[in-house]
Amino acid sequence: MVKTFDKYFVKLFFKKIILLTLIFFSLTFILTLFEEITFLSNSDSEIYLPFLITFFNVPSTLLEIFPFIVLISTQLFFVDIIKRKENELIKVNSLDNFYLIKLLALCTFIFGIIIVTLYYPMSSKLKFFYFDIKNIYSEDGKYLKHYSGNGLWIKDEIDNEIYIINASANNKEKFLKNIFINKFDKDFNLIEVISSKKADISSNDWVIEKPIIFRGNQQIQLEENIKLSSHFNFDKINKTFRDLNSLNLIELFDLKRENELLGYSSQDIDLHFLKIISLPIYLSIMVIISAIIMLNIKRDKPYIFHVLLGILLSVIIYYINNIFNIFGLTNKIPIYLSVFFPIIFLSIVSTIGLIRINEK
C-alpha cells in the first residue's frame, strides 16, 4: 500500500512540475522572442532565426526559475490532495504529513541532481550556440568581453592584429581608467604594450591620453594623445552579451584554473559554480517550505490565494538570493557564505516548521 501511495503522489507531483515548466517555458519564449526579433531586425537573417536563438536561450533562463517552479508546483500538488482529502487517507494508513514531505523532498533532490548532471550541460551548450549566432549577427564577431575582479577584459581584432585590453571601468562614465593594451600579431606574438591612466571610449575611435608604449626593450612616454580604432565603444561594452551559463561544469573548472594561473579573480565563477551544485538542496528546501505553508494555512482560503502566496514568496526569496550574491561579488562577505547563507536560513525556517507539522 505504501508503494502504491508513493507512485501515485510522485506521479501527481511531477505532473505539476511538468505543467508549470511548460507554462514558464512558453511565457519566457514569447517574451524573449520579441527581444530577438528586435535584435535581428536590421540584419539579413532568415525569418526562422529569431525563433531558433530564442529556443537556444530559454533553457538557461528556465534554469534560474526552477526553484520557484518547484515551489509553486508543490503548492498546486497540495491544493489537489487537500481538495480530494487524500491527505486524510495518509493518516488512515498510519502515515503522516512528514512522510509525504520526505517523499517529495527526496524526489526533488534526485530531480535536482538530474538537472545539474544532464539538463545544465545541455542548456549551457544551447546557450553557447545562442551567443555564437548572436556574435555572428553583431557588427563584428571577433571579440569577447569579460568583467572580473580585475576589471574589464576585452579581446578585439583589428587589421589582423589582436588586442587584449584590461582596464577599470564604470558603467556610468564613458572612460576606461588604468588601461593596458597588449597588441599581438595573428600568431599571438607580442608587438607592443600601451599603458595609460585614462581613455575616452565614447566612440569607436578611442582617445588614449598620454600613453606609455613598451616595444621590445624600449619604453616611450608620449606627451600627446593617440587614437585606437576599436569595434567597441561605451554603449557596446554595456550591451555586449556574456554569460557563465554558456559554460558547463568542466569548462567552468578550466576557466577558473586559467584565471588563477594569470592571477585574475574567479569570484563570479565560484559563485556560479556553487549555485549550480547546491541546486538539488535548494530545490528540496523549496518543497519543504511550500509544504509547510500549505499544511498550516486555513482550508477555506481560495485557490488563487495559494498561487499568489507562492509567487510572492518566490519573489522575496529571489531578491534575498540576489542581495547576498551582490554582497559576495563585492567582497562584503565570502562567496561561499553568499550562496549558502540563504540556504542555511531557509533550512532553519523549514526545520522550525516541521516541528509541529504532524499536528496538522
Side-chain angles (χ1 to χ4, degrees):
M1 180 64 71
V2 173
K3 289 184 178 179
T4 302
F5 281 151
D6 289 350
K7 291 179 181 178
Y8 171 74
F9 287 129
V10 170
K11 185 177 179 180
L12 179 61
F13 179 58
F14 278 105
K15 277 184 178 179
K16 300 301 181 185
I17 289 181
I18 292 172
L19 175 62
L20 262 295
T21 300
L22 290 175
I23 290 174
F24 277 95
F25 182 92
S26 301
L27 291 174
T28 306
F29 187 93
I30 293 170
L31 294 174
T32 307
L33 179 61
F34 290 112
E35 180 181 343
E36 305 305 343
I37 290 174
T38 301
F39 175 80
L40 295 169
S41 59
N42 296 323
S43 69
D44 297 326
S45 61
E46 299 292 337
I47 192 170
Y48 67 84
L49 193 60
F51 295 89
L52 181 63
I53 63 175
T54 300
F55 177 78
F56 287 164
N57 186 36
V58 169
S60 63
T61 304
L62 206 59
L63 184 69
E64 299 289 332
I65 57 177
F66 260 131
F68 313 115
I69 290 175
V70 167
L71 186 146
I72 298 174
S73 297
T74 306
Q75 288 187 300
L76 298 181
F77 168 85
F78 276 99
V79 167
D80 271 9
I81 68 169
I82 290 173
K83 280 186 176 180
R84 300 171 188 169
K85 297 187 177 179
E86 291 169 346
N87 58 321
E88 300 298 331
L89 186 63
I90 295 174
K91 295 180 180 179
V92 170
N93 286 273
S94 301
L95 299 173
D96 52 34
N97 292 325
F98 189 60
Y99 146 79
L100 185 56
I101 294 175
K102 283 192 300 182
L103 176 65
L104 298 183
L106 177 61
C107 290
T108 307
F109 184 81
I110 296 172
F111 176 62
I113 293 175
I114 293 172
I115 290 176
V116 172
T117 56
L118 299 179
Y119 180 86
Y120 176 71
M122 180 272 295
S123 69
S124 66
K125 194 65 176 179
L126 292 178
K127 192 77 169 184
F128 175 83
F129 291 148
Y130 167 78
F131 285 141
D132 204 30
I133 293 173
K134 290 196 74 170
N135 201 26
I136 292 171
Y137 283 91
S138 298
E139 293 179 4
D140 183 85
K142 301 176 180 178
Y143 63 80
L144 293 169
K145 186 200 78 173
H146 170 60
Y147 279 106
S148 74
N150 298 87
L152 172 68
W153 287 89
I154 292 174
K155 174 182 176 291
D156 202 353
E157 186 172 331
I158 306 166
D159 297 331
N160 293 321
E161 293 177 335
I162 300 168
Y163 292 78
I164 305 295
I165 303 166
N166 174 229
S168 302
N170 186 327
N171 59 9
K172 295 181 181 179
E173 297 179 355
K174 297 185 179 182
F175 294 95
L176 295 179
K177 297 179 180 179
N178 301 318
I179 183 171
F180 287 88
I181 303 171
N182 299 277
K183 182 178 177 181
F184 301 87
D185 62 22
K186 61 182 180 180
D187 296 319
F188 271 94
N189 297 310
L190 182 64
I191 299 173
E192 64 183 19
V193 178
I194 302 173
S195 171
S196 176
K197 292 184 178 180
K198 191 174 182 181
D200 184 344
I201 59 169
S202 55
S203 70
N204 289 84
D205 292 322
W206 293 10
V207 178
I208 303 172
E209 297 185 1
K210 298 180 179 180
I212 301 174
I213 299 177
F214 301 89
R215 187 182 297 128
N217 294 322
Q218 295 183 330
Q219 176 178 322
I220 305 170
Q221 172 71 64
L222 299 182
E223 294 301 324
E224 68 275 2
N225 300 338
I226 64 172
K227 286 190 177 183
L228 173 69
S229 295
S230 173
H231 293 108
F232 288 88
N233 55 44
F234 174 78
D235 292 330
K236 194 167 186 178
I237 285 174
N238 285 329
K239 293 178 181 177
T240 305
F241 20 82
R242 184 261 182 187
D243 199 323
L244 290 174
N245 281 319
S246 63
L247 303 176
N248 60 39
L249 295 179
I250 296 175
E251 290 169 334
L252 287 172
F253 269 120
D254 290 340
L255 180 60
K256 177 179 171 63
R257 185 169 59 251
E258 289 175 6
N259 281 8
E260 289 175 347
L261 289 173
L262 295 171
Y264 304 156
S265 172
S266 299
Q267 286 182 315
D268 55 342
I269 302 173
D270 290 336
L271 177 65
H272 183 73
F273 179 77
L274 290 173
K275 287 171 65 177
I276 294 298
I277 64 171
S278 64
L279 186 61
I281 299 174
Y282 189 24
L283 294 180
S284 300
I285 293 173
M286 297 298 272
V287 167
I288 296 172
I289 290 176
S290 181
I292 291 171
I293 292 174
M294 294 303 297
L295 293 171
N296 279 278
I297 61 176
K298 296 180 180 179
R299 299 287 184 268
D300 57 350
K301 293 291 184 182
Y303 182 82
I304 190 66
F305 172 81
H306 304 92
V307 177
L308 292 177
L309 182 62
I311 293 173
L312 176 62
L313 187 60
S314 298
V315 171
I316 293 173
I317 294 174
Y318 174 81
Y319 278 106
I320 289 175
N321 277 328
N322 270 2
I323 290 171
F324 276 92
N325 290 343
I326 292 171
F327 284 163
L329 290 174
T330 55
N331 296 316
K332 297 292 190 299
I333 59 176
I335 286 292
Y336 292 91
L337 189 59
S338 72
V339 174
F340 289 111
F341 183 84
I343 293 178
I344 293 171
F345 174 76
L346 292 174
S347 299
I348 294 172
V349 172
S350 302
T351 303
I352 295 173
L354 287 171
I355 293 175
R356 297 181 57 191
I357 199 68
N358 282 319
E359 297 178 10
K360 300 295 177 182

